[in-house]
Amino acid sequence: RNSHQRDVVNRLKRIEGQVRALVDMVESGRSCEDVAQQMSAARKAMDKAFYRMMACSVMQAVHSPDAVAEIERTTTILEKYA
């Protein structure tokens, strides 16, 4: 589990840097297309971090004594936020 958490945290830190760079791009007057391209990259990175976190949730659910209920809970989260 810790390796999954580290992976998600590292991804989020990279995304944090991407977002800071986006602010700088907007403030410095970069073209809308350049900003949009970087926003798209940050959004895709966020999606990947989300799915990696959900993979961790599934792994935990499988090893849970009440696996079926935990997997259903994870499915509900995916349906709600994915």
Side-chain angles (χ1 to χ4, degrees):
R1 182 162 74 121
N2 285 338
S3 67
H4 286 286
Q5 287 174 332
R6 267 194 312 274
D7 182 50
V8 170
V9 167
N10 288 339
R11 288 172 186 267
L12 291 172
K13 286 180 179 181
R14 281 193 299 274
I15 293 164
E16 182 180 31
Q18 285 179 298
V19 171
R20 269 193 248 105
L22 277 164
V23 170
D24 292 343
M25 289 176 74
V26 171
E27 289 178 342
S28 68
R30 293 282 296 272
S31 76
C32 292
E33 184 175 354
D34 287 348
V35 174
Q37 181 181 24
Q38 290 306 309
M39 282 182 169
S40 176
R43 189 175 65 237
K44 287 176 185 176
M46 192 69 175
D47 285 343
K48 287 181 181 181
F50 172 79
Y51 289 119
R52 184 67 173 153
M53 185 208 52
M54 291 308 300
C56 180
S57 179
V58 170
M59 298 282 280
Q60 289 173 349
V62 168
H63 298 298
S64 167
D66 194 12
V68 173
E70 286 299 312
I71 291 170
E72 286 176 1
R73 187 180 72 77
T74 298
T75 301
T76 301
I77 293 169
L78 282 168
E79 289 171 346
K80 187 173 182 179
Y81 298 113

